[in-house]
Structure formats: C-alpha cells, structure tokens
Amino acid sequence: MKAKRLRDVRDFIQSEVFTSWFMKFSGLRRELTTLRERAADLQVQARMLAFRVEYLQQLGDDTVMQAGESEEWALQSEAEFGQIENDSFQALSSFETKRQEASDRWAALGGAEKALEDLRQRLGEARAKLESKSTQAQERERLQGEVKSLEAHIVDAGRTAQEARKQLEEAESTRDRIWLSVEETWSDAFRARMASAEYTYQSRRVRREAEQLFTRVHNEKQRIDEVNEEARRAEQRLQDVESSLQELLDEARESFDGVLVSEFMYWPIEDDVQAAFCVPLIDERNLLNIQVNALQVYRVGRERGLSLIEPVAQDVDSSDDPRLGAFFSEGRPGL
Amino acid sequence: MTDNETKSKREILSESPLFDNLLTPERAMLADLFSVLEFEPGQVVFNQGDVGDSLYVIAKGDVDVLQKGTDGQPRVVAVLGAPQFFGEMSLIDKEYRSATIRAKTQAKLLHLTNENLHVFAKNYRNGFTWIAVNIARALSSRLRETNRRLAEAM
C-alpha cells in the first residue's frame, strides 16, 4: 500500500470509479437499514400477534365455560319452575278445600243464628202473652214453663252460634293464609320461568361471543402466518443485501489502494509516519470526538485510529504571523 | 451534519469575541472541532459542581445561568444568548463547574472539548495562543466588572 498525499486522497474520492462505488455502497447501506428496521418490526408484530392469539384463545375458552354455566342455570331454573308449579297445584287444592269448608261454616252459622232468632221471637211472644191481663191462670202457668224452656234453648242456641262463628273465622283465616301461599308460589313460578328463559338467552349470547372470539383467533393465526412469511422474505432480502454489501466491500478492498474496514477508509500519509488520512463512508454525529461527514478527509494517528479523529489542517505560514507582534507593539484590539 | 451546518458554525464562531483575530483556516478547523448540540427548554446543559473540560458557544436561543444561594436553592443570575459563550473557566482550570446552565428556550449550542482544543493547539499554535488571550480578556473583563460592583457596594 502506497502512502498518499492529501491531494491524492481528494482526487481519489472524487474519481468516477470511487463515486460510482460509493453510490452503490450508500444505496445498499440505506436498504440494509430499512430492511433491519422492517425485519425487527415484523418480528415485534408476529410476537404481539402471537400474544394476542394466546389471550383471545384463553378468553374464548373462558367464554365457552361461561356459556355452559348459563345453560346450567337455565336448566336449574326450569327444574325449579316445574317443582314450584307442582307445589302451586297442591296449594290450590288445599285452598279449594278450605274455601268449601269456610262456605259450609258460613251456612252453619247462618242456620244457628236463624234458630237463635226464632227462639228469641218465640220467647218474646210468650212473654207478651204472659204479661197480657186477658190470659187465664192455667194458660199463664203453661206460658211460664214455656218461657223458661225457651230461655234455656236460647242459651244453648247462643253457644252453638258462637261456636259456629269461631269455626267460620278459623276456616276463613286458614283459607286466606293458603291463598297467600298460592300467590307466593305463583310468583316464584313466574320468576323461575323468566329466569330460565333469560339464562337460555344469555347462554346463546355468550356462546355467540365465544364463536366470535374463536373466529378472531383463526384470523389472527392466519395473520401471524402472513407476518411470519413477510418476515422470512425480509430476512432473506436482508441476507442478500448483506452479502451484496460484503461483496462490494471486498471489491473495494482489492481494488482501492487503502485500508477499508467497513465504514471508514484509511491511507498512510506520505510525509508523516505517525498519521493516516481517514475518509468516513458514513455520517457520525455522536460517537467520535468530532462530528464527521461522509467523504470528507480527516486525519487519525496510526496508533489510535478512530480514538481521536482530527480535521485536516490547512497550511498557515506561522513564521510570518504578524498578530502577536501587533498585540505587543500596537496595543490590543478590543473585545 | 451538512456543509450548510459547517458554514453556519464558521459564521457563528466569527461572531464570538472568543475567536477574534483567528485566521480563516484556523476558524475552519475550529468549526470542524465543534459539535452541534440541541437542547429543549428546561433541559440542563451541565450542573454546578460537575467536572468540566469543555466550552460552549450559543448558536441559537437563550440559556439561564443558575447558582446556588446560601440556602442551597439555585437562582438565575444571568441569561445568555447567541453568540455568547460559557464553560471557558473549566477549560482553563479543569475545576468543577461554577454554575448550572439550563436552556431557557430551544437552544443550539456549539461544544468544544478540551481534547479537541488540544488538536487545534497542535495544528495552530498561534491560533491557540489567541484563543487563550481572548479567554484571558473575557475573564479579565469579568473580574474588572466584579471589582467595580464591589467598590460601588462598599
């Protein structure tokens, strides 16, 4: 490798052979950057999709279980309704019996009260005759016996009527209590019937949701396959471009009379055994001691290389620099 | 970094009194040795007490200079704008930063490290001398101003 002067390096990087090579190099690097970003993005997409599929699958499984639970509740409600309906028939039968009994008691009370009323009427008539002045002594004696007899019958009839009223009240109370029970049973039956229908609807809806989730799982799995295929193609293209770039670098290493690692070119400087010219093939703003531009000529030490990269100084004739002399002899320029 | 940015750096450096009397090739190399840094409002450039070995020239925007008071709370003691510079004291004495610098607005700063100044000094001895003279003048000017204020206060 021949040491170079600054002019040689500048002429070289402006030559058609180098600029043509550099165009290809820049194009491949740009494509490489885009492809790497694309490949990484596709991998992220595929992983996120896989995660989503796993989540949706789990959600679908849970939803199917939930649909099963709703179906179970519907069946339980239906069975409960059957039982309650049976109970309601029995309660209604009991009510009918009690209703009839209350009706009989009411009739019995009516009879007892009528008998009591008749006895009281007869007692009144007997007393009226007894108190009449025209009633003969013999007749008066008979009436007195009748009055005593009627009074005794009235006491008995009163007791009978009172007993009949009590029995009627008990029968009516039992009848009303049974009726309340019938109404409660009907209310329970209504609730059970409505619950059964609603749980049946819920189970259908939840099963539909599960089906939709499984459809999404199916679609997302297809999308994963598509993304994986796209990632595979991007990876293949990436390898092709990397290979082309490597070939281009190998070609440059063979044909350009300098050192090319991968992103910087170096040439020994003709009249400086400690230093080398360096031409970046990329822009780098953050990781070197200065911000460098592609295709600009810089200087590096042969020991340190890129550890310290310097701009190339333009020659200045320091032997004839009038500035210090002027500073001391003519005063100081103001700030 | 484009050619326009490099040109812009040269123009900004030519406006700064820190680089008075430098020749065109010297300014050209300095422009390459300065890095362009951008700061959002409120972003700290460096903190009081940090170890410093670099100077900054303001290309665009304003920065606050903050110093801690006796209560330990930082207070704004000055606002600097283009093409003023700061950090030159640490470049000379390698001491800790005497103040915190915080971007007041969006700011573009040119940054020169001690290492890169050394590169300049190796290549342009006379140019480096002028930078040192200009820093000394700036420090001298500040010292005179401080003395004047002290005399007025007394």
Side-chain angles (χ1 to χ4, degrees):
Chain A
M1 186 188 314
K2 194 180 168 188
K4 297 274 192 287
R5 292 171 302 162
L6 180 60
R7 179 184 295 264
D8 298 332
V9 174
R10 285 191 169 140
D11 286 348
F12 173 72
I13 61 178
Q14 285 169 4
S15 68
E16 195 179 329
V17 65
F18 179 79
T19 51
S20 161
W21 177 89
F22 182 73
M23 291 270 283
K24 287 183 203 162
F25 172 83
S26 300
L28 286 172
R29 272 191 60 95
R30 271 197 302 276
E31 191 176 357
L32 203 58
T33 303
T34 307
L35 282 168
R36 280 182 179 144
E37 285 172 1
R38 181 70 184 142
D41 183 49
L42 287 167
Q43 280 187 0
V44 169
Q45 274 188 48
R47 287 186 187 189
M48 284 177 72
L49 282 168
F51 175 76
R52 194 153 68 184
V53 162
E54 190 183 332
Y55 175 75
L56 289 173
Q57 180 73 47
Q58 183 63 49
L59 197 61
D61 293 345
D62 291 348
T63 309
V64 166
M65 283 184 67
Q66 201 182 333
E69 283 176 6
S70 291
E71 282 164 6
E72 183 67 27
W73 292 338
L75 287 173
Q76 280 180 13
S77 295
E78 188 63 31
E80 189 185 355
F81 168 75
Q83 181 62 46
I84 292 169
E85 198 176 45
N86 196 34
D87 291 348
S88 78
F89 287 143
Q90 285 183 5
L92 198 59
S93 172
S94 299
F95 169 77
E96 187 56 35
T97 304
K98 277 294 168 189
R99 191 189 64 76
Q100 186 59 51
E101 185 185 329
S103 180
D104 293 347
R105 296 286 180 200
W106 183 80
L109 174 62
E113 284 178 339
K114 178 72 173 60
L116 182 60
E117 188 57 32
D118 289 348
L119 287 170
R120 281 177 179 157
Q121 193 174 348
R122 282 172 59 195
L123 178 62
E125 288 168 2
R127 279 180 177 159
K129 283 181 184 171
L130 190 63
E131 288 167 7
S132 172
K133 291 179 179 173
S134 61
T135 305
Q136 298 296 315
Q138 192 177 0
E139 180 63 11
R140 189 177 297 273
E141 190 176 338
R142 190 191 61 80
L143 284 171
Q144 280 174 341
E146 187 179 340
V147 165
K148 278 186 184 172
S149 172
L150 283 170
E151 282 174 346
H153 278 97
I154 284 171
V155 170
D156 289 343
R159 283 199 191 109
T160 302
Q162 193 176 6
E163 183 64 24
R165 183 172 290 109
K166 187 180 170 189
Q167 285 177 347
L168 173 63
E169 285 171 359
E170 283 176 1
E172 284 180 338
S173 171
T174 306
R175 180 200 65 192
D176 292 347
R177 190 163 41 75
I178 292 172
W179 180 247
L180 281 177
S181 166
V182 167
E183 283 189 330
E184 279 177 19
T185 313
W186 283 350
S187 177
D188 288 346
F190 174 69
R191 182 191 52 74
R193 188 53 134 180
M194 294 301 105
S196 171
E198 187 166 332
Y199 288 141
T200 302
Y201 148 75
Q202 280 181 3
S203 72
R204 278 205 308 273
R205 190 193 65 201
V206 175
R207 199 165 284 283
R208 172 74 59 85
E209 284 172 8
E211 284 167 6
Q212 286 170 344
L213 284 168
F214 289 136
T215 303
R216 281 179 66 188
V217 167
H218 176 73
N219 293 340
E220 297 282 4
K221 278 182 177 170
Q222 279 188 333
R223 178 74 188 127
I224 288 177
D225 291 342
E226 288 166 12
V227 169
N228 280 335
E229 175 57 22
E230 205 177 339
R232 193 196 59 73
R233 284 199 301 268
E235 187 61 36
Q236 181 60 53
R237 178 64 192 150
L238 188 64
Q239 285 175 11
D240 292 347
V241 172
E242 278 174 343
S243 178
S244 299
L245 185 63
Q246 202 52 49
E247 283 172 18
L248 198 69
L249 287 169
D250 289 342
E251 178 193 318
R253 286 176 193 126
E254 281 184 17
S255 55
F256 299 161
D257 187 23
V259 170
L260 167 56
V261 179
S262 60
E263 291 168 338
F264 293 82
M265 291 192 72
Y266 309 88
W267 291 270
I269 297 178
E270 191 177 69
D271 53 1
D272 188 344
V273 294
Q274 303 291 325
F277 289 121
C278 169
V279 174
L281 302 174
I282 55 163
D283 292 337
E284 172 52 61
R285 294 183 66 87
N286 300 313
L287 301 175
L288 297 172
N289 63 299
I290 59 173
Q291 294 170 333
V292 299
N293 295 333
L295 302 188
Q296 193 169 319
V297 184
Y298 297 90
R299 189 174 178 278
V300 294
R302 292 198 195 181
E303 293 293 326
R304 298 180 64 184
L306 286 179
S307 304
L308 184 71
I309 184 164
E310 305 174 9
V312 174
Q314 296 174 43
D315 288 339
V316 171
D317 185 1
S318 58
S319 63
D320 191 25
D321 188 339
R323 290 176 292 177
L324 275 179
F327 176 74
F328 287 111
S329 63
E330 297 171 9
R332 293 152 289 184
L335 280 170
Chain B
M1 185 170 48
T2 63
D3 287 346
N4 279 345
E5 277 184 325
T6 304
K7 187 181 169 190
S8 160
K9 281 200 286 187
R10 288 183 196 178
E11 284 170 0
I12 291 156
L13 295 183
S14 70
E15 290 170 10
S16 170
L18 205 55
F19 307 108
D20 271 355
N21 281 332
L22 293 189
L23 303 175
T24 302
E26 293 168 342
R27 281 214 184 92
M29 175 172 253
L30 267 179
D32 283 339
L33 291 169
F34 269 95
S35 298
V36 180
L37 304 177
E38 298 197 351
F39 292 84
E40 294 298 315
Q43 198 177 347
V44 171
V45 180
F46 56 70
N47 282 302
Q48 184 175 352
D50 286 353
V51 176
D53 66 345
S54 58
L55 76 84
Y56 296 82
V57 177
I58 302 171
K60 192 175 160 190
D62 294 327
V63 299
D64 285 329
V65 182
L66 299 102
Q67 278 188 321
K68 287 179 185 169
T70 50
D71 59 357
Q73 294 300 311
R75 289 188 180 80
V76 177
V77 294
V79 177
L80 304 177
Q84 287 178 292
F85 55 88
F86 56 88
E88 75 288 352
M89 286 165 64
S90 293
L91 205 60
I92 298 295
D93 59 17
K94 314 283 193 303
E95 285 290 337
Y96 300 108
R97 298 290 190 190
S98 60
T100 293
I101 302 293
R102 189 178 62 197
K104 184 180 174 68
T105 62
Q106 260 198 337
K108 187 156 91 174
L109 307 179
L110 304 187
H111 179 227
L112 179 68
T113 62
N114 182 268
E115 184 181 41
N116 286 353
L117 182 62
H118 186 204
V119 170
F120 179 76
K122 282 191 300 179
N123 285 281
Y124 296 111
R125 184 65 64 185
N126 290 350
F128 172 71
T129 303
W130 275 105
I131 291 176
V133 166
N134 289 334
I135 290 175
R137 282 175 169 168
L139 295 176
S140 169
S141 171
R142 285 180 198 167
L143 185 59
R144 285 177 195 279
E145 177 62 16
T146 305
N147 287 340
R148 188 185 63 74
R149 287 186 184 176
L150 193 61
E152 280 177 6
M154 291 172 74

